Structures are given as C-alpha cells and as structure tokens.
C-alpha cells in the first residue's frame, strides 16, 4: 500500500500497478475480515470477493461476517432498528416517546442558555447599524421610485452642488473616564522599566517609592515655561457662532441662511450650494458655491474630486414656474472641503447669504430638524 504513492506517470504502467495493488488489498481483506464457520458435512463453496474467488470447504449453513467500513451504513442500520422498534409500539406509546424526546431537547436547550449567561451579557447588538439600515433602505426605495416617476414623465433632473466646509478640531477631545484610567495605569507601569537577570549587571539599584510617582497633567502644565491657551474660549461662554474660535474639540461646519433653493417658506438654514452650469465640473461648481455665498476670502482644500453624498428633491407644483422650468427636480451632490488654517474667514461685505454660522454637527441637525423635520435631519446627521 505504501507504494501506491509512487506510481509511475505512464498510463499503462499505472493501470497495471493499480490492478496489482487492488489484488493485494482484496486478498488481505478476504483473510482478515471474513470469518467462515463450517458445520459437519463440508462442501466446496466459492466465495466471490471482487474479481477473486476464495475457495473453502464450508458447510451448507455458512456464516459470513463482514466489517462495515462506512459510517453512513452504520447510521442507516441504526435508523432501521429504530423504525422496527417504532413499528412494534402502539400509537399512544409512540406519542409518549416523541413527547419525552421533545422535553429532553427543551431541557438541554434551557441548560445551555443558563450556562451562556455567565459568558455573554445579552446586550443588544448592532443597534446603530440596524437604525441606519432602517432609514437607508427606505431612502433607497424612495429614490428609485423618483427615478421611475421622472422617466415616466419624461422630465430631466437639475444638478445642484452643495458644499460642506469643515473646520477640523484644533485640540484633542476630552478623554473618557476609562481612557484616563488606562493611561494612568500605563504611565505607572512604565516607571518600572525592563528587568534583566541579576548576573547580567544591567539592573540598577533597588527601586525607591519616589521612583514610581506619576506626574499629573496639572503638575506638567505648571512646569511649562509658558501659559497654554484655554480649551474653552470666550466664544463658547458667550454663545457666539460666527467665529472659528469656538468648539475647539470638535468639527465645525459652515452653515448659511439663504433662499437660493427656491423655498416657499423663505430663507432657511442650509449648506452653500449652486446650480451647476453647462460644461462646468462639479468641483468647479462647489468652489463657486462657496465664493458666491460667503465671499472668496476663505482658504479651502478639497481632498477629492468626487462627491461624498447625493440626495434628491422633487419640485413642488407650488414653486414658481420660472424656478421649476421643465425639470422634475434636483439631484444634489455634496462635496466635503476643509478649511485651511493659513487664514481667511467669511467676507461679510461680499456675502450674498442672509446669515451664516460655524456650527457643530449636532447644532446643524437641530436647526434642520426644526425647519424640515426629522427625515431630512437624519440625512444630515449621517452625512456630516
């Protein structure tokens, strides 16, 4: 059998070797797995095993025991035995057996659940993901419906480009309580340094208690040769939203109050936007939207030429005909650009918007929800 892994590649030689090997296997199996018992009055009987015959003088009542090599055969035999036993039982007895089996299965499941209580906290999983999917799936169905309606009416879409002007955080955010505990423990353990075997001579003198004192943030700040600027500014205390010197620990977004979107209710809080002109790229339209809304003094950097989100807006029949023209609605492409800290701010003299503010994501969502409802507010929440 060991030679079967060294068969030659020649097909004829390979076929002959396989035949020889199979013959050896059949002879060994015939000797080892067949147990023949003969009674008085022996006769000559041939036992056919594969392509070979094993001749023995056996009695007329010959018993041949063969080993089952297949697990499926054993399972089938066991099932046959159960079926035979089930046939012998009455209908009521079979019902009792099945009921007992169901009870045992239930008790085993309950026992397993009791064991899992010590391993799992059973807290809800994928809460935010489920919440997002519940909104996203309905939004995609609504967008597909609008696409079919526009195609059925034979009306095109107008392209609008909106810009999210983002100011990145200036300082690091506040640490959570668990983060602060972890950093304190790590700083304390690092005071011990590495340990080497005594025979190497690398170790210093035994440690003292003062060698493991961790300096607090207040002590470190007090030892600086200058006074750091406060993390909370005067604008945070006064509530001024027209300055970049506020909410230094989070991101701010430029929000304007304008009626360029053709709103029936008048100006509302939104992002700088404009209608893309013919033969104008979306990125060029985004740059023009910012300069038209708040002037060209802002220094911006765009990380990508592609928009990061798209939304659809259907024109209401109550809108002026001069604004709607023959369009079904608008496809609004949102670009994310970042404020460059080299300088520049909103030029109020050249600003065409009615008002502006540098708001956090939560503040933007609150104003959108107050004016347009929760559905549009969730879109801005996930986009920002």
């Amino acid at each position: 059998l060991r030679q079967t892994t060294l068969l030659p590649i020649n097909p004829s030689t390979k076929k002959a070797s396989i035949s020889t090997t199979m013959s050896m296997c059949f002879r060994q199996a015939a000797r080892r797995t067949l147990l023949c018992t003969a009674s008085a009055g022996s006769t000559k009987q041939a036992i056919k095993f594969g392509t070979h015959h094993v001749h023995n003088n056996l009695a007329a009542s010959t018993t041949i025991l063969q080993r089952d090599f297949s697990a499926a055969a054993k399972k089938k035999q066991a099932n046959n035995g159960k079926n035979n036993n089930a046939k012998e039982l009455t209908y009521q007895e079979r019902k009792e057996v099945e009921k007992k089996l169901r009870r045992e299965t239930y008790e085993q499941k309950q026992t397993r659940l009791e064991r899992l209580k010590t391993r799992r906290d059973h807290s809800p999983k994928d809460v935010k993901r489920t919440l997002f999917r519940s909104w996203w799936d309905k939004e995609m169905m609504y967008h597909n419906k609008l696409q079919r309606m526009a195609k059925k009416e034979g009306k095109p879409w107008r392209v609008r480009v909106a810009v999210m002007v983002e100011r990145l955080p200036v300082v690091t955010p506040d640490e959570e309580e668990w983060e602060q505990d972890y950093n304190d423990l790590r700083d304390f353990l690092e005071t011990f340094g590495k340990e080497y075997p005594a025979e190497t001579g690398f170790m210093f003198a035994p440690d003292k208690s003062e060698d493991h004192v961790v300096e607090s943030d207040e002590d470190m700040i007090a030892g600086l040769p200058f006074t750091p600027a406060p993390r909370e500014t005067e604008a945070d205390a006064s509530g001024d939203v027209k300055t970049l010197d506020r909410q230094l620990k989070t991101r701010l977004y430029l929000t304007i109050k304008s009626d360029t979107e053709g709103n029936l209710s008048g100006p509302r809080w939104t992002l700088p936007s404009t209608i893309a002109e013919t033969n104008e790229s979306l990125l060029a339209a985004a740059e023009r939207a910012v300069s038209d809304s708040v002037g060209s003094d802002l220094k911006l950097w765009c990380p990508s030429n592609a928009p990061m989100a798209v939304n659809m807006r259907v024109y209401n029949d109550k809108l002026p005909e001069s604004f709607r023209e023959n369009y079904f609605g608008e496809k609004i492409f949102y670009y994310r650009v970042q404020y460059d800290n080299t300088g520049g701010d909103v030029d109020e003299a050249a600003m065409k918007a009615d008002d502006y503010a540098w708001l956090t994501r939560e503040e933007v969502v609150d104003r959108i929800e107050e004016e347009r409802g929760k559905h549009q507010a969730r879109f801005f929440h996930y986009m920002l």
Side-chain angles (χ1 to χ4, degrees):
L1 290 177
R2 296 172 183 170
Q3 295 179 357
T4 57
T5 58
L6 302 177
L7 294 177
I9 302 178
N10 190 337
S12 60
T13 310
K14 180 178 180 180
K15 184 176 181 180
S17 302
I18 293 176
S19 177
T20 304
T21 306
M22 292 180 62
S23 300
M24 295 173 58
C25 293
F26 283 129
R27 284 196 296 269
Q28 292 181 4
R31 288 196 301 265
R32 296 182 181 181
T33 64
L34 296 181
L35 178 62
C36 303
T37 58
S39 59
S42 62
T43 60
K44 188 175 182 179
Q45 183 178 0
I47 305 175
K48 189 174 183 181
F49 191 90
T51 57
H52 300 269
H53 291 75
V54 181
H55 298 275
N56 294 303
N57 293 328
L58 301 177
S61 59
T62 304
T63 303
I64 302 177
L65 301 179
Q66 185 174 356
R67 178 183 175 185
D68 291 330
F69 293 96
S70 173
K74 294 182 178 180
K75 185 176 181 180
K76 183 177 180 181
Q77 183 179 1
N79 292 335
N80 292 335
K82 292 182 179 179
N83 295 335
N84 295 334
N85 295 334
K87 293 179 181 179
E88 297 176 358
L89 299 177
T90 62
Y91 171 76
Q92 192 65 28
E93 291 174 345
R94 290 199 300 271
K95 286 186 61 176
E96 293 294 333
V97 171
E98 293 174 357
K99 183 177 180 180
K100 181 180 179 181
L101 180 61
R102 289 196 300 268
R103 186 185 299 110
E104 292 176 354
T105 304
Y106 174 78
E107 292 176 354
Q108 292 175 1
K109 182 178 180 180
Q110 294 301 317
T111 305
R112 179 177 176 274
L113 293 177
E114 289 294 330
R115 292 199 307 267
L116 292 179
K117 287 183 179 180
T118 59
R119 297 164 48 192
R120 303 178 183 176
D121 56 357
H122 293 278
S123 60
K125 302 298 188 297
D126 298 332
V127 176
K128 292 185 177 180
R129 180 181 179 182
T130 304
L131 182 63
F132 171 75
R133 295 297 305 188
S134 64
W135 170 83
W136 172 261
D137 294 339
K138 295 179 181 178
E139 189 75 5
M140 288 299 98
M141 292 175 61
Y142 177 66
H143 284 190
N144 294 334
K145 179 181 178 181
L146 294 181
Q147 293 274 29
R148 294 192 298 268
M149 292 174 61
K151 185 176 181 180
K152 183 177 180 180
E153 296 183 13
K155 293 183 178 181
W157 291 87
R158 176 179 281 171
V159 177
R160 177 180 291 273
V161 180
V163 187
M164 294 174 286
V165 181
E166 176 186 40
R167 191 221 64 186
L168 297 177
V170 179
V171 299
T172 56
D174 294 332
E175 293 180 347
E176 299 287 345
E177 184 178 358
W178 66 269
E179 291 179 302
Q180 189 173 2
D181 294 341
Y182 170 78
N183 291 331
D184 293 343
L185 177 59
R186 184 188 60 184
D187 295 340
F188 174 73
L189 295 177
E190 288 180 352
T191 60
F192 290 90
K194 297 181 179 180
E195 294 186 5
Y196 299 94
E199 56 270 16
T200 59
F202 293 159
M203 295 298 296
F204 296 99
D207 295 344
K208 301 178 182 179
S209 58
E210 55 268 21
D211 295 337
H212 305 294
V213 177
V214 179
E215 186 179 24
S216 62
D217 294 340
E218 291 77 9
D219 296 338
M220 181 184 64
I221 294 175
L224 294 176
F226 59 90
T227 303
R231 294 169 60 87
E232 303 290 338
T233 63
E234 295 180 0
D236 294 329
S238 62
D240 185 9
V241 296
K242 294 187 177 182
T243 176
L244 288 166
D245 192 26
R246 67 181 299 265
Q247 295 292 334
L248 304 180
K249 295 174 288 187
T250 185
R251 303 169 186 262
L252 292 181
Y253 299 93
L254 176 62
T255 312
I256 64 173
K257 192 171 186 179
S258 173
D259 60 351
T260 57
E261 298 178 352
N263 311 309
L264 295 174
S265 58
R268 64 181 183 183
W269 287 100
T270 183
L271 300 176
S273 65
T274 186
I275 299 297
E277 297 179 353
T278 307
N279 299 328
E280 183 183 28
S281 65
L282 294 180
L283 183 58
E287 296 174 354
R288 183 169 57 85
V290 177
S291 60
D292 290 348
S293 300
V294 295
S296 57
D297 191 28
L298 278 175
K299 301 297 187 295
L300 305 176
W301 175 72
C302 184
S304 174
N305 293 332
M308 65 165 298
V310 62
N311 198 9
M312 294 182 182
R313 174 196 175 196
V314 181
Y315 283 158
N316 194 330
D317 295 337
K318 298 180 181 180
L319 292 174
E321 183 68 25
S322 59
F323 181 82
R324 291 188 290 115
E325 297 181 2
N326 192 34
Y327 292 98
F328 182 78
E330 294 178 353
K331 287 187 177 180
I332 310 174
F333 295 88
Y334 293 87
Y335 270 84
R336 180 187 292 270
V337 299
Q338 294 179 354
Y339 168 76
D340 195 342
N341 293 329
T342 56
D345 202 343
V346 175
D347 187 0
E348 296 187 10
M351 183 178 64
K352 297 181 181 180
D354 297 343
D355 198 0
Y356 78 97
W358 291 96
L359 306 177
T360 63
R361 185 180 74 165
E362 291 75 14
E363 294 171 344
V364 173
V365 171
D366 291 341
R367 297 199 181 193
I368 296 296
E369 182 177 354
E370 182 180 352
E371 294 180 348
R372 310 186 200 179
K374 292 184 178 180
H375 185 77
Q376 286 295 324
R378 290 186 68 181
F379 173 79
F380 280 84
H381 170 78
Y382 290 126
M383 180 179 63
L384 298 178

